[in-house]
Amino acid sequence: MNIFTETGLNNDLLRAIDKLGFEKPTPIQEKIIPNILNSNDDIIGLAQTGTGKTAGFGLPLIQKINIDNRAVQSLILCPTRELCMQITADLKDFAHFSKGLSVIAVYGGANISPQIQSLKKGAHIVVGTPGRTLDLIRRGILKINNISTLILDEADEMLNMGFKEDLDSILESTPRGKQSLLFSATMPAGVRRIAETYMNNPVEISAGKKNTGAENISHHYYVVRASNRYLALKRIADINPGIYGIVFCRTRNETKDIAEKLIQDGYNADALHGELSQSQRDYVMQRFRNKSLQLLIATDVAARGIDVSDLSHIINYNLPDDPEVYLHRSGRTGRAGKSGICISITHSREGRKVRELEKITGKQFQKKMIPGGREICEKRLFNLIDRMEKTEVDEEKIESFMPSIYKKLEWLNREELIKHFVSLEFNRFLDYYRNAPDLNVNQENESVSKKGRGNNTKYTTIYINLGSKSGMNPSRLIALLNEAMRKRDIPIGKIDVQRNFSFFEISSDYDQKLIQAFDNVIYEDRPVIVEIKKGGLNKTKGNKKTSSPRRKKGNYKPKSKAGKRR
Ligand code: ADP
Ligand code: MG
């Protein structure tokens, strides 16, 4: 089934779907719509954000509503005001041709009186945040003891945001015979517990891989010193003139701090965090939606429920501790079939975290270099020139001004003229990036510059049975060494990663310790083998025969003179 007409939805809904331009159901919709339409079973729907869960439950829900009965028949709970409004708007779109159906949103941070007024008029579906919903239930305004469907949307986030008690109180006052639908991107213990306590033998429906990153998202990371994070962020923004994205920070203060700096430095950026009043939040969101802001600096909680579908970038100003958080963040780009980039600014000890994320997302993370001043200037200049070239010239309107302008610029030839125009726009950039330092922490270079360069460190060449086939590259190899040896500044020389194995040079002072450190190390289910290679690195190039020094085990001299540095 890959068309909506086969889901069992009625004509009013099919017309609405057509009007919205949805061509075919998403995988979760395909599974869940017939299930909700044809049964009263409780359902747990697991799918990452952006997979169309709202229509998945919203469409069949509307079909099951008895319009003639003005009592509340369905309660939808979700974590934030934004999401609440979003779901309500979506449901209204779906019900566009379903005459007489009413949906009401109730959420905190807004005057309660109008919400009470509309509830008194009667509604078929109520969409609410837990706090406000409970308040209205306690006031006796919202009656949920007769609902036939209860929906928990983004259940994991509701728990993350501390709504556990409110949820318990609400769920306890719902009737037994109802159908419960729970949606979540992840299934942590708290959500399991809710399902076990309040649902009857729920059917679990998931689409795609539950916790993995979406297909069309590329993951990039940069390695910088912690003190250079902000400069790195600026360069990332500068090299992407059309950037439109969210920068995630850990704390409110960090969010404010970075937004303030960016604004001062002339970027179209602003912060979204919990300290803002509702009207301030709305104002920031409005500017972000209409793209007056290119960068929204936000905490995870504040960014919940933001549904902006064409973000080009997600930037992790810090890597989150919880991989689930990374998935949530990255899932905000690459939506609706578009491609997106999720960038992480990391420091040199986070190689292991990156590897863990690679496993969870099933994607390879690309290590990128922070662009240098020259590269950025080139890119921006080209962008400027490109825009100038494409600018439409309205001959008629400017005609009358031109003679005096030509006259004034008479003394400049073509080349000089172009230089003046470019400088006018560009001096700020050129000044800023003149003598800009390299921000990349290249672990190789660092260890070389600290220890190796210019002195006569002796190196031993080592064979290791991991190559590019096992995902090795120089920085991963160094991370692996650091991890095994529990030491960071061991001088490492040349590294030669081949397909099935690699060679690298290590300061001869450490070669025995290295061999010991790798005794019993397992990497991706394989025992790691490291051995001292005689004869140095260069001789191994392209010579596959030397690839099995293992056979000669035990015959090596501990040191090799071959690894002399250039
Ligand atoms: P989720 O709740 O799973 O995170 P949403 O329900 O918010 O995802 O849907 C994400 C986006 O996909 C929305 O902009 C929605 O309009 C769009 N969408 C939903 N279903 C379809 C479909 N069948 N075809 C095309 N777009 C869809
Ligand atoms: Mg959703």
Side-chain angles (χ1 to χ4, degrees):
M1 176 182 77
N2 59 9
I3 44 171
F4 275 107
T5 46
E6 288 173 34
T7 51
L9 292 170
N10 67 33
N11 277 333
D12 290 341
L13 293 166
L14 292 177
R15 278 172 75 198
I17 292 167
D18 200 46
K19 189 161 181 274
L20 285 167
F22 295 178
E23 282 168 10
K24 55 176 193 181
T26 65
I28 185 107
Q29 290 167 357
E30 198 174 295
K31 288 187 187 171
I32 213 163
I33 293 175
N35 219 307
I36 300 177
L37 279 181
N38 302 321
S39 83
N40 266 330
D41 293 343
D42 286 355
I43 296 174
I44 296 177
L46 284 175
Q48 68 205 28
T49 39
T51 49
K53 292 191 283 295
T54 316
F57 66 74
L59 292 164
L61 177 69
I62 290 171
Q63 182 153 328
K64 283 174 110 176
I65 295 287
N66 173 3
I67 304 270
D68 300 331
N69 176 1
R70 296 294 291 176
V72 176
Q73 293 167 49
S74 173
L75 174 66
I76 301 173
L77 293 170
C78 62
T80 62
R81 169 188 153 126
E82 275 76 19
L83 195 56
C84 185
M85 298 200 298
Q86 185 76 50
I87 294 172
T88 308
D90 286 350
L91 292 179
K92 285 183 176 164
D93 284 343
F94 303 152
H96 189 82
F97 299 102
S98 309
K99 278 215 179 73
L101 188 118
S102 70
V103 190
I104 288 179
V106 299
Y107 41 80
N111 190 346
I112 199 165
S113 314
Q115 296 176 2
I116 294 178
Q117 292 309 316
S118 23
L119 279 174
K120 280 186 174 161
K121 282 187 207 144
H124 298 110
I125 303 174
V126 172
V127 188
T129 51
R132 179 57 59 93
T133 300
L134 187 60
D135 190 356
L136 288 161
I137 292 172
R138 292 199 166 138
R139 289 171 190 237
I141 305 290
L142 174 58
K143 300 193 177 65
I144 56 165
N145 44 354
N146 265 321
I147 57 169
S148 42
T149 322
L150 171 77
I151 295 172
L152 303 175
D153 194 20
E154 303 214 4
D156 48 353
E157 274 316 310
M158 288 199 278
L159 293 181
N160 283 347
M161 291 177 67
F163 284 131
K164 179 178 170 296
E165 263 98 56
D166 288 355
L167 281 180
D168 280 330
S169 309
I170 297 171
L171 294 183
E172 272 158 21
S173 50
T174 54
R176 273 174 171 261
K178 68 180 183 300
Q179 179 175 34
S180 302
L181 311 173
L182 181 151
F183 294 92
S184 203
T186 61
M187 205 61 196
V191 178
R192 275 262 170 248
R193 191 196 58 83
I194 293 235
E196 278 161 12
T197 319
Y198 298 104
M199 298 176 86
N200 295 323
N201 301 320
V203 186
E204 205 170 295
I205 294 183
S206 59
K209 287 183 234 153
K210 276 168 230 172
N211 294 337
T212 60
E215 268 325 296
N216 39 357
I217 302 174
S218 319
H219 302 264
H220 296 174
Y221 70 102
Y222 296 87
V223 184
V224 300
R225 279 171 215 270
S227 54
N228 281 334
R229 268 182 215 286
Y230 177 69
L231 293 179
L233 174 64
K234 275 195 357 178
R235 290 203 195 172
I236 292 168
D238 286 344
I239 197 86
N240 293 293
I243 197 166
Y244 179 49
I246 305 178
V247 180
F248 282 98
C249 295
R250 281 180 206 252
T251 62
R252 235 174 244 190
N253 280 339
E254 194 175 58
T255 307
K256 283 199 277 192
D257 183 45
I258 290 163
E260 268 162 31
K261 279 194 204 152
L262 284 172
I263 294 167
Q264 232 164 41
D265 287 339
Y267 294 82
N268 300 323
D270 210 339
L272 192 71
H273 54 74
E275 250 169 50
L276 301 180
S277 72
Q278 195 58 57
S279 58
Q280 285 171 321
R281 280 179 65 101
D282 289 347
Y283 180 61
V284 172
M285 278 315 297
Q286 186 198 331
R287 286 191 302 144
F288 188 51
R289 285 217 169 83
N290 69 25
K291 304 199 173 160
S292 319
L293 295 179
Q294 283 187 282
L295 290 173
L296 183 70
I297 324 301
T299 55
D300 290 291
V301 170
R304 266 285 107 197
I306 295 177
D307 182 37
V308 180
S309 54
D310 50 352
L311 298 178
S312 67
H313 290 76
I314 292 298
I315 300 179
N316 296 292
Y317 193 69
N318 303 284
L319 268 186
D321 291 325
D322 181 356
E324 300 286 357
V325 172
Y326 182 93
L327 289 173
H328 265 295
R329 291 179 179 179
S330 61
R332 301 185 162 271
T333 183
R335 287 187 169 196
K338 295 204 178 103
S339 62
I341 298 175
C342 184
I343 289 177
S344 301
I345 305 177
T346 71
H347 61 72
S348 57
R349 266 159 296 170
E350 288 180 316
R352 188 197 190 126
K353 264 195 192 171
V354 171
R355 264 180 286 143
E356 190 191 348
L357 288 172
E358 286 187 320
K359 274 199 195 134
I360 291 170
T361 55
K363 292 279 199 71
Q364 193 151 31
F365 280 39
Q366 298 171 39
K367 183 173 181 212
K368 295 279 178 178
M369 301 301 275
I370 297 280
R374 199 192 147 74
E375 208 180 317
I376 291 173
C377 289
E378 230 172 66
K379 175 102 181 210
R380 301 293 303 211
L381 260 175
F382 190 80
N383 184 265
L384 170 72
I385 300 305
D386 197 47
R387 276 187 297 142
M388 187 184 79
E389 209 185 344
K390 287 183 184 144
T391 298
E392 229 170 278
V393 175
D394 188 335
E395 301 280 359
E396 240 170 72
K397 278 199 190 123
I398 60 172
E399 198 179 23
S400 60
F401 302 104
M402 292 319 289
S404 48
I405 294 175
Y406 288 140
K407 188 142 186 68
K408 182 151 173 47
L409 297 177
E410 226 169 34
W411 63 284
L412 293 165
N413 68 26
R414 181 187 145 90
E415 270 74 38
E416 287 163 339
L417 203 63
I418 295 175
K419 278 185 203 160
H420 275 253
F421 268 109
V422 167
S423 305
L424 177 68
E425 262 304 306
F426 219 64
N427 277 348
R428 181 178 77 95
F429 259 103
L430 292 174
D431 282 345
Y432 179 75
Y433 280 116
R434 187 173 295 143
N435 304 325
D438 181 4
L439 298 182
N440 296 288
V441 175
N442 186 334
Q443 287 134 313
E444 264 168 90
N445 290 344
E446 264 220 323
S447 46
V448 168
S449 59
K450 264 195 242 150
K451 299 247 166 168
R453 188 173 296 152
N455 67 24
N456 41 10
T457 305
K458 287 222 172 67
Y459 285 89
T460 306
T461 303
I462 306 284
Y463 159 92
I464 185 164
N465 66 331
L466 298 172
S468 56
K469 207 172 142 195
S470 339
M472 271 305 138
N473 58 32
S475 59
R476 281 211 200 134
L477 188 63
I478 291 172
L480 183 71
L481 299 181
N482 291 339
E483 204 180 301
M485 301 187 69
R486 299 204 170 80
K487 194 163 166 38
R488 254 167 35 82
D489 47 7
I490 299 164
I492 307 284
K494 281 185 237 157
I495 296 179
D496 175 20
V497 176
Q498 307 232 0
R499 188 163 161 71
N500 293 312
F501 55 90
S502 308
F503 291 98
F504 60 91
E505 296 175 328
I506 187 167
S507 159
S508 300
D509 298 338
Y510 289 95
D511 54 13
Q512 292 306 317
K513 283 186 197 124
L514 176 96
I515 302 288
Q516 283 161 19
F518 274 95
D519 194 17
N520 274 327
V521 171
I522 305 286
Y523 183 81
E524 304 206 325
D525 299 325
R526 280 205 302 156
V528 177
I529 300 167
V530 290
E531 280 164 5
I532 292 171
K533 156 97 181 61
K534 230 178 178 177
L537 193 63
N538 291 336
K539 290 180 188 163
T540 68
K541 277 255 153 114
N543 180 358
K544 289 265 156 60
K545 293 260 161 55
T546 59
S547 67
S548 15
R550 271 162 291 181
R551 270 182 268 134
K552 298 183 240 162
K553 192 167 188 175
N555 289 340
Y556 296 112
K557 298 209 178 90
K559 288 193 181 180
S560 151
K561 287 180 196 150
K564 237 190 275 165
R565 301 208 57 77
R566 276 174 293 175

